[in-house]
Amino acid sequence: MTLTANIPVQKTTHSHIEEVDFSNLGFGKYVADHMLVCDYANGTWQTPQVLPFGNLSLSPTTLALHYGQTVFEGMKAFRMDDGRINLFRVHRHHERLAKSLSRMCMAIVPEEVFVEGLKVLIALDKDWVPTAPGTALYIRPFAFASEAKFGVKVSDEYKFIIFSGPVAGAFQKPLRVKVETEYVRASRGGTGAAKCGGNYGGAYYPTQLAKEAGYDQVLWTDARENKYIEESGMMNAMFVIDGKLVTPPLSDSILDGITRDSLLTLATDLGIPVETRPVAIDELEKAFRQHTITEAFGAGTAAIVAPIGTININGVDYHLPAYDDKAIMFRLRDKLELIRTGKEPDIHNWNFVL
Ligand code: COI
């Protein structure tokens, strides 16, 4: 008998779907009716269960609240052309979750719990998967140290939860970003490649300062020299320089973005040259002076692509040319959308259709 052979489901008696304005979804506004909850205790994962979405009851000593053992994923389910539902790159998301959990010394959620749990949960909340172009059901799997003990220790208990909510695409207006050379997001040997809560919490303060100075986000630089671009806000950073799609290589300070990987793969499919290599701030400055940089954008699950209009480098605002539909980022985004909605063949086996 496997853990997920028969996932118990307790259905809500009061769906909230009527409260959703599907024409104005935004991001993070709505939560679907159910959640999957799975506990780890005594060295083993218990049978997961699907429950009505609701509050948790936690002891103030819950370890995650103090010492930060908490990680999450961000993934999406799409409504396909034929009405079916596609969980995009589900195995790859599990793989990344497992890496994040391992980096944070947390119990690894079995792939079976992740995949079978998602299947039951999303099938139950299928009406929440929106249909309009660019929309999706954003899925938030996460895990945290749930042992109630304030001694400083690796937790012996964990809670794994998945909830979801319908979202629209984000960041369509070109962003103003500032190259950050004082604060860093992650350092070599740190937790930058893990999707752990602390990476996000630590980013707020420098981002707030950038906002006060009139920018939307920061372009993070490396912790050693503050010379090379790392990420863009909460996304991977990508540039088009000399007609090539250029992005910093993965490292232990850069998140292995699944949208990043998908866009790089599609660029290659479309015959767009791809360079995965360090991108120095100096190179960007030079490319602006020589007009060889034509695009800059963030790539992430939530936004897919987030165009950048202005980059502030050492106090100087450099402007990207206005983007039209032929921009490489939009061609890649549109191609991705066609694959995920079943309108184009899924040659990379990314779709996991319910
Ligand atoms: C994503 O792009 O999905 C992210 O991980 C950012 C998230 C915090 C909204």
Side-chain angles (χ1 to χ4, degrees):
M1 180 84 149
T2 63
L3 271 182
T4 55
N6 195 5
I7 297 178
V9 174
Q10 187 188 323
K11 282 194 193 169
T12 181
T13 51
H14 175 66
S15 172
H16 291 277
I17 201 161
E18 298 304 329
E19 294 158 24
V20 179
D21 177 359
F22 277 93
S23 63
N24 184 18
L25 287 173
F27 183 87
K29 234 169 46 181
Y30 300 111
V31 176
D33 286 330
H34 298 91
M35 61 182 184
L36 179 111
V37 180
C38 188
D39 290 317
Y40 177 91
N42 304 318
T44 153
W45 286 96
Q46 316 294 314
T47 299
Q49 43 179 334
V50 171
L51 300 170
F53 180 85
N55 291 346
L56 305 171
S57 169
L58 295 177
S59 163
T61 61
T62 300
L63 283 171
L65 301 177
H66 303 269
Y67 311 120
Q69 271 186 298
T70 168
V71 309
F72 68 94
E73 267 302 309
M75 54 186 291
K76 279 179 171 172
F78 296 87
R79 178 72 64 179
M80 298 184 83
D81 218 17
D82 60 7
R84 290 184 300 164
I85 290 164
N86 171 23
L87 298 176
F88 188 69
R89 301 197 76 175
V90 66
H91 298 287
R92 181 75 186 240
H93 279 285
H94 175 263
E95 204 179 295
R96 188 172 67 178
L97 176 71
K99 280 190 192 150
S100 300
L101 290 168
S102 165
R103 178 63 181 82
M104 299 305 290
C105 241
M106 297 166 68
I108 308 294
V109 175
E111 185 167 32
E112 172 205 345
V113 168
F114 189 83
V115 175
E116 297 303 314
L118 275 169
K119 274 162 70 177
V120 174
L121 180 70
I122 305 305
L124 184 63
D125 280 335
K126 62 181 184 317
D127 294 343
W128 288 81
V129 183
T131 52
T135 63
L137 186 73
Y138 188 87
I139 303 172
R140 173 54 59 82
F142 70 106
F144 64 93
S146 53
E147 186 178 350
K149 190 170 277 178
F150 71 90
V152 187
K153 69 182 284 280
V154 171
S155 183
D156 285 323
E157 292 170 18
Y158 296 93
K159 212 175 245 308
F160 172 61
I161 299 182
I162 310 177
F163 67 83
S164 71
V167 299
F171 301 128
Q172 288 324 308
K173 192 167 153 257
L175 299 170
R176 288 168 53 78
V177 300
K178 172 180 172 283
V179 173
E180 178 60 63
T181 51
E182 189 178 347
Y183 298 96
V184 294
R185 173 186 172 276
S187 63
R188 223 187 241 192
T191 58
K195 212 162 167 60
C196 60
N199 290 344
Y200 295 80
Y204 284 147
Y205 182 67
T207 305
Q208 194 173 301
L209 294 181
K211 283 191 173 156
E212 282 163 16
Y215 299 91
D216 300 299
Q217 286 184 358
V218 297
L219 266 185
W220 299 106
T221 55
D222 70 285
R224 191 166 280 196
E225 295 178 275
N226 296 120
K227 201 171 148 186
Y228 297 98
I229 301 297
E230 294 254 302
E231 292 195 8
S232 176
M234 295 179 288
M235 293 173 280
N236 292 112
M238 295 197 168
F239 306 92
V240 177
I241 302 172
D242 281 327
K244 295 177 201 138
L245 181 62
V246 184
T247 194
L250 295 178
S251 71
D252 53 4
S253 60
I254 293 184
L255 188 79
D256 182 359
I258 292 162
T259 304
R260 172 190 182 278
D261 179 76
S262 305
L263 298 181
L264 294 179
T265 303
L266 294 181
T268 305
D269 290 353
L270 291 173
I272 298 162
V274 170
E275 284 183 0
T276 305
R277 59 165 176 80
V279 181
I281 307 174
D282 290 355
E283 176 187 352
L284 289 184
E285 260 180 321
K286 195 165 145 218
F288 274 113
R289 278 200 304 274
Q290 299 180 340
H291 305 287
T292 51
I293 176 166
T294 48
E295 298 180 32
F297 59 101
T301 299
I304 311 173
V305 299
I308 292 173
T310 301
I311 302 182
N312 182 280
I313 306 175
N314 296 325
V316 179
D317 277 352
Y318 293 91
H319 302 286
L320 277 303
Y323 299 124
D324 61 22
D325 292 350
K326 291 191 215 62
I328 286 176
M329 72 177 109
F330 297 139
R331 285 173 57 205
L332 296 173
R333 177 197 64 191
D334 294 348
K335 178 99 182 148
L336 189 57
E337 169 98 0
L338 289 171
I339 295 168
R340 312 206 258 208
T341 51
K343 296 184 185 108
E344 276 203 10
D346 171 29
I347 61 168
H348 299 290
N349 276 322
W350 288 339
N351 294 343
F352 186 89
V353 182
L354 293 186

